Every structure is written in C-alpha cells, then in structure tokens.
Amino acid sequence: MTTSSQVLPVQVLPVSPSDIDAAARVVAPFAVRTPLLSPPVLNERIGTKVFLKPEMLQRTGSFKFRGAFNKLSSIPQSARGGGVVAFSSGNHAQGVAAAAKILNMQATIVMPKDAPLSKRERTKAYGAEVVLYDRDREDREAIARDIAGRRNATLVRPYDDPFVIAGQGTLGREIAEDMAALGLTPDIVIAPASGGGLIAGVATAVKARFPQTQVVVAEPEAYDDHGLSLRAGKREAHHAEGRTICDALMAQMPGELTFAINSQLLSHGVTATDAEVAAAVGFAFRELKLVVEPGGAVGLAALLAGKIDAKGKNIVIVLSGGNVDADLYAKLVA
C-alpha cells in the first residue's frame, strides 16, 4: 500500500486487489458475508435483473465495520495502548467502536450533536467514549487530531486510509465472487459515496474480475461532489446548503486517496432527490421487507427514478446501511 504522502505514478493506485484479498482474510472471521439478493418484485418493476447487496445485515448495521476492523487490526500491538480516535456522523463511529471492543482497544468517537440519536447511543453501547461537536461551527477532524495527540492514540479516518478502503473493498470482492458463481457479469454496479472509501474499494475489487463493468457513484442531489469531480477531472467541492435526509453522505469533497482510485475506475455519477430517496426507503420497506437508511438507499432511488440505463443489463446496487432513527423512518415509510 502507498500513503497519501507519496507521489502516485500513473495507473498505480493506493489500494490493489491483493490488498483487498488480504483484508478479506482479516475480516472474514468477524464480518458477516452479506448475501446477494434479486427480488422478483424489483426485477419486474425495472424490467431487468437487479441484485442488491444488503449491508444493513452487516455487523453494526452498515458496511463500515469492514474497513474499521481491517484498519484497527493493522495497528501494531505496541501502539494499541493509546486506543483509537475517529470522527463520524454515525456508521463509521459504530464500526470503529465495535472493532475496538473485539480487539480490546479503547475508542473515542467525535460525533456531531445532530447525528441520529440511535447512532450515538449504539456507539456508546459498544463501549466507546462519544465527544459531541457543532457541525456548523467546529472542525471535527481538528478535534479528533487534538484528542489523539494528547492520548497518543491512533486516528482512524473514515475513508482516506488504504486499510479502510481495502476493508470496504471486501464487499466488492463478495459481489464479484457471487456474480461469477451465478455465471453472470455485472454490467453496472452502483454504490453511494460520502468521502468515497466504499466505492473506491468496491470498484477496485469488481473491476479486477470484471474490467468492463461500469461502476457508478450515487449521491444526494446537490451533494454530488464525486460527480462534479469526475466531470472536472479533479477534486471539486459541492456547494449545497442546509441538510439532506442522507445524513451519512454529506462530505463536501472526495478524499485524496479515494479520488486517486475513483477518477480511474468510476464511470460517472447519478443523483437522487430527498423525495426520491424517501420513496426508495418506503419501497424497500413495503416491497422488499428491508430497512434501509436514506444514505444507503440513494443508489436504489436513482434506479427507481429512471436515472440508470438499466434495460437488458445486470445491475448490482449496494444498500450500504440501515441505521436510521425510528421517528424519521416512520415518516419516510408512511
């Protein structure tokens, strides 16, 4: 693996398929190998074969456990005494907290005050210390760096870390293996992005086995920094104001390492409005019997809204998590 301080030669990416293979060996005894589902009701509605990767069934309710466990496992025993510090709106927080508990390490998580209560409480339930901050006035990364420095702890970034990306890539590795076992080639794989670690890992794993597959990033409307960056050929920030119900997908700009990968491997981006995401969450509840959080449903929302050229193609959609407050969920599925 390379680090962000090194110059990346052309086509030499920060994470390789062999890194993901190594991560798979690390996380396999602890992570859930989530199934690949192809619900008839969804296939009939779209008119083609659609497969869903339901990471709400993963440990902690999202894909984030994969990357967190791989990262924490890479920390030498001699450096584990100071514990780990992370910053997250919820899913990375729970992934790090759960991994730290398994590995007998202390975790401190910097979380926004407006993060869903359910995510904050579950993070504490794994034994982590939660430090709250104001999303609009304070810098979460600066707070986390300060805590890590004072405690001699390891900072665990949510996406811009090669071990985290490789861990998330185990999800894509499973998709590739399961599609190959079915004798099928995925024509399009769709995954959501905040900082881009999930889709970077997925793209690396899937395209290693199926080079012609299009990997498409799905984002909330106006929060499409990955789509903007892919079109510009360089990292671009979105300029959205206010909030989206996809609270897990509000990073302003792609990560440096993640964009080094995604700029090479992704096809393009699609977006979904909050209304389209709400409809997808409701569809997943009523028709698929799956609980998906808004950020986890943005790819499904784009498909249901007709924003994916799906006719005659094998489509794979990552449903990245299911951690959503009960009150918000009740409104979305009503």
Side-chain angles (χ1 to χ4, degrees):
M1 293 184 182
T2 58
T3 67
S4 58
S5 63
Q6 294 174 299
V7 176
L8 297 173
V10 176
Q11 298 297 326
V12 176
L13 302 181
V15 175
S16 69
S18 63
D19 293 326
I20 295 173
D21 292 341
R25 292 189 290 271
V26 171
V27 306
F30 301 94
V32 175
R33 185 185 177 105
T34 53
L36 205 55
L37 309 176
S38 186
V41 65
L42 180 58
N43 294 336
E44 291 166 8
R45 172 156 173 174
I46 302 302
T48 193
K49 199 76 169 175
V50 181
F51 297 87
L52 302 176
K53 184 67 167 170
E55 282 292 292
M56 72 286 294
L57 305 179
Q58 185 54 255
R59 201 163 186 155
T60 74
S62 90
F63 73 95
K64 288 286 192 176
F65 176 78
R66 297 172 182 266
F69 191 84
N70 192 51
K71 172 61 178 179
L72 267 63
S73 296
S74 75
I75 300 171
Q77 287 289 343
S78 59
R80 294 186 181 185
V84 294
V85 180
F87 48 91
S88 167
S89 63
N91 287 334
H92 180 60
Q94 292 175 76
V96 170
K101 184 176 183 180
I102 293 170
L103 296 169
N104 196 31
M105 299 171 69
Q106 176 58 42
T108 301
I109 315 295
V110 179
M111 300 184 72
K113 293 177 181 177
D114 62 352
L117 178 62
S118 60
K119 293 183 179 181
R120 301 201 309 266
E121 292 303 315
R122 280 196 291 266
T123 301
K124 291 179 183 177
Y126 289 116
E129 175 191 359
V130 172
V131 176
L132 299 178
Y133 77 99
D134 187 319
R135 193 196 296 258
D136 296 317
R137 296 183 177 87
E138 296 179 288
D139 182 339
R140 64 178 188 172
E141 186 169 352
I143 295 170
R145 282 199 307 265
D146 177 66
I147 295 172
R150 287 189 283 107
R151 300 181 182 180
N152 197 28
T154 299
L155 183 63
V156 182
R157 299 181 183 280
Y159 48 83
D160 237 4
D161 181 287
F163 286 98
V164 170
I165 296 169
Q168 319 305 25
T170 61
L171 185 161
R173 186 177 186 266
E174 292 171 11
I175 289 173
E177 289 176 343
D178 289 350
M179 290 296 285
L182 293 170
L184 298 173
T185 296
D187 295 300
I188 300 175
V189 174
I190 309 165
S194 182
L198 169 62
I199 198 164
V202 167
T204 301
V206 168
K207 291 186 76 70
R209 189 154 192 167
F210 299 106
Q212 301 307 311
T213 296
Q214 288 189 339
V215 182
V216 177
V217 59
E219 300 173 282
E221 186 176 71
Y223 291 82
D224 56 337
D225 47 292
H226 290 271
L228 291 170
S229 299
L230 290 173
R231 292 190 293 273
K234 60 187 177 70
R235 294 166 67 224
E236 294 275 1
H238 68 70
H239 299 287
E241 297 180 355
R243 294 282 186 267
T244 167
I245 60 172
C246 303
D247 66 284
L249 305 182
M250 291 173 60
Q252 193 170 30
M253 181 183 291
E256 292 184 24
L257 291 185
T258 60
F259 191 68
I261 297 170
N262 292 329
S263 62
Q264 298 294 321
L265 300 184
L266 301 192
S267 170
H268 62 283
V270 294
T271 63
T273 65
D274 277 4
E276 289 165 344
V277 170
V281 170
F283 177 86
F285 169 72
R286 289 187 297 272
E287 304 295 341
L288 309 180
K289 312 309 175 189
L290 296 174
V291 175
V292 191
E293 65 183 275
V298 68
L300 178 62
L303 180 70
L304 292 172
K307 297 179 178 180
I308 304 293
D309 181 15
K311 187 175 182 180
K313 298 175 182 176
N314 294 321
I315 310 294
V316 180
I317 298 178
V318 177
L319 304 178
S320 59
N323 294 318
V324 55
D325 269 345
D327 289 346
L328 173 60
Y329 190 70
K331 293 177 183 177
L332 296 177
V333 302

